[in-house]
Structures are given as structure tokens and as C-alpha cells.
Amino acid sequence: MNPCNQCPRACGTDRSQKPGLCLAGEEPLLAKIMLHQWEEPFLTGEGGSGALFFSGCNLRCVFCQNQTISHELKGRTCSKEELIDIMFRLKERRAVNINLVTAAHFTRQLVPVLREARARGLNLPVVWNSSGYESVESLRLLDGLIDVYLPDFKYMDPALALRYSRAEDYPAAARAAITEMVRQTGPLRFQDDLLMGGTVVRHLVLPGHADDSQSVLAWLATTFGHDIFLSIMNQYTPCGDLSAVPELNRRLTAAEYDEVVDYALALGIENALLQSEESQTLDYTPDFSVSEEGLSDASDAN
Ligand code: SF4
């Protein structure tokens, strides 16, 4: 843990002394809990996904829609006991799963939490909702503890990864991470329209980069075939300071998205969710102005 090398940044920071490049110290920092109603339908169900949003991020893309928690730290540290308690409260609220959002920089801290929660009878599927920028070594610590991996695969071109996430190695790291995730989960397993196990890869189509999206889809289709689900996202909405990347300061056109979807169909991809143009809004981004009370009692989650 210290020095920390648990993600591909391998920044070697002693997190007991100062934050790493992910902005995180040693203790898990939780920004929000909620019954999330806007995840993929098979992860949302009727009760909602029991989401725990962690603060900080080891990738911090320039176009991030969750900048208030990824680029600015928000929330408070949570002990192992508090995290377990929150998971059981979400279960009482009829969450259909426990959804750990952007927790890669806390992987080692969460392993004992998940082990203990399982030992105490937490029997909901656990979803690992990540950017895909993770090391295989860290993911192996989660083997047997995660039911559903929900990574992004953002770019295939290292130049794009460098320009938008300052991580030229993202494509190689994400390919290795997703391969490890699929190895752990095996094929998709559904029960009553809910996903109980498997890997779902999200890809957000960016303005002007339909060609890179096609490269991402081609690799996923040829590598994993029908063993994974894809979520091809149309929801890109400009936000934050995009002055250094002006090409991203517009919405995606219908023609760009359709080009990517047509390519997916031509590849023979069948397990895929698509999004309508109405998704191009920040209305589906959670409100992170949550109170501390909201963290300490799941009944206050909104
Ligand atoms: S998890 Fe954070 S501190 Fe650790 S290597 Fe990655 S960026 Fe550095």
C-alpha cells in the first residue's frame, strides 16, 4: 500500500503522508450513497442499484461528468464498519446490488470490507464500476468478491488517452484489466431480468472520434464475442473547462452515434445496450451535494 503502486499510474506515493495522483489518502473517501435508478436496466431493476460513490480518481478525464467528486475531493472518510453498515442498509432499502463506483484507488482497502460483508451474509451481487484503468495485480485481489465488473473502455488510441486523460498507457492497461475481469466472472448470468454475474463494458462515444469507437468495439467483439455485454453510450455532454480540448466542446451528432451503432451491428454484436439522444444531458448525473447525514444513514440517500 505505501508506497502505493496499486494502479497503472504507479506513482509510489506514501498515502499516509500525502495524497497520491488519484488525490486519495489512505482511508476510503465516500461522496454519496444512493439507490441509483439510471444504471443499465439489468443493474437497476425495480429497487435501484445500491451505489457507493467514492471520491478521487486515478484517471480524471478532462470531460468527466462527475468532476465534483473526481477532480475535487468531496465527502468523508469511512471505516470498514461504516462501509459494511451502509451496504446492509442499502440491502434493507431493496437495492438489487451493491455498486462500488470509481473505487480502483481504494481496491486494497475494500478487499477486507467485502470479505467481512460476505461473511456476515451480504448476498447481493457486487458490482465494480470503474474507468478500466486498473492493474491486473490489484484486480486479482478482488477475485471471488466481485460478481459484475462494469468497466469503461474509453479509447484505443494512446494519443487520445494522453490528450484527454494524461494516460498514454490507458488502452493497454484497460485491455489487460478487462481480460482479467472476464476471466474472473466468466459468461453473463441473468436471473429474472437482473444481471447476477458477468462483465459489462461501457463505451462513451466522443465527438469527432467515431473511428476510435470502432476500434474499441472491434477489439471487444473479436476478443470476447458474446461473453460480455456492451453499453454503447450516446450521453456525452460538454462540461467543465474544455478550453484545452475545444473539439470536445460540442454534443455528439446523431450521424456520429449511428455510424458507431451500424459498425457494431456489422461486427455481429448482439449483447449491447444503446442510448437515445435524450440521454445527452447532465440531468442523469447524480447530485453530489449530499450531506454528511446522507452518508451515515442510507434512509437519507437521494
Ligand atoms: S492508486 Fe493513487 S496513489 Fe496509488 S498508484 Fe494509483 S494514483 Fe498513485
Side-chain angles (χ1 to χ4, degrees), residues 19-237:
L21 288 180
C22 53
L23 307 181
E26 279 192 310
E27 299 297 319
L29 189 63
L30 192 57
K32 186 178 180 73
I33 52 174
M34 67 184 290
L35 286 167
H36 200 326
Q37 303 293 341
W38 309 313
E39 297 288 40
E40 284 76 359
F42 49 61
L43 293 173
T44 302
E46 291 190 6
S49 179
L52 290 81
F53 288 86
F54 291 87
S55 272
C57 179
N58 64 338
L59 196 57
R60 299 213 304 284
C61 308
V62 68
F63 54 83
C64 180
Q65 297 190 353
N66 293 345
Q67 291 194 15
T68 49
I69 61 169
S70 60
H71 292 53
E72 309 159 27
L73 290 183
K74 194 170 180 61
R76 67 174 176 83
T77 55
C78 275
S79 69
K80 177 180 166 187
E81 282 302 321
E82 286 175 300
L83 288 166
I84 293 170
D85 183 57
I86 288 167
M87 290 177 189
F88 277 95
R89 285 169 183 264
L90 286 166
K91 182 184 173 189
E92 286 168 15
R93 294 282 309 277
R94 298 187 174 276
V96 299
N97 50 46
I98 297 298
N99 182 357
L100 305 173
V101 186
T102 316
H105 47 304
F106 297 120
T107 301
R108 288 175 195 217
Q109 294 90 331
L110 289 172
V111 166
V113 173
L114 292 171
R115 282 206 186 113
E116 184 65 25
R118 289 285 197 218
R120 294 189 199 174
L122 185 76
N123 57 1
L124 294 178
V126 176
V127 180
W128 188 259
N129 184 337
S130 76
S131 69
Y133 194 48
E134 294 164 86
S135 74
V136 171
E137 185 186 13
S138 289
L139 285 169
R140 288 202 174 130
L141 299 174
L142 296 169
D143 197 355
L145 295 170
I146 303 299
D147 300 285
V148 175
Y149 279 106
L150 183 59
D152 297 335
F153 191 175
K154 295 174 183 290
Y155 333 94
M156 184 62 86
D157 181 353
L160 289 187
L162 178 63
R163 181 164 174 78
Y164 298 147
S165 300
R166 292 171 300 141
E168 195 170 15
D169 62 340
Y170 175 89
R175 286 196 300 270
I178 294 169
T179 301
E180 170 62 16
M181 292 171 181
V182 178
R183 183 196 71 75
Q184 288 184 23
T185 64
L188 301 155
R189 298 187 306 284
F190 288 90
Q191 184 179 309
D192 299 331
D193 295 331
L194 291 176
L195 184 62
M196 308 304 284
T199 299
V200 180
V201 181
R202 287 174 168 169
H203 175 70
L204 177 67
V205 183
L206 293 173
H209 295 301
D211 53 345
D212 195 65
S213 293
Q214 293 176 17
S215 300
V216 166
L217 295 180
W219 182 79
L220 290 168
T222 54
T223 308
F224 304 114
H226 301 310
D227 282 348
I228 64 170
F229 223 99
L230 299 183
S231 190
I232 304 173
M233 305 177 83
N234 190 16
Q235 70 184 51
Y236 178 79
T237 307

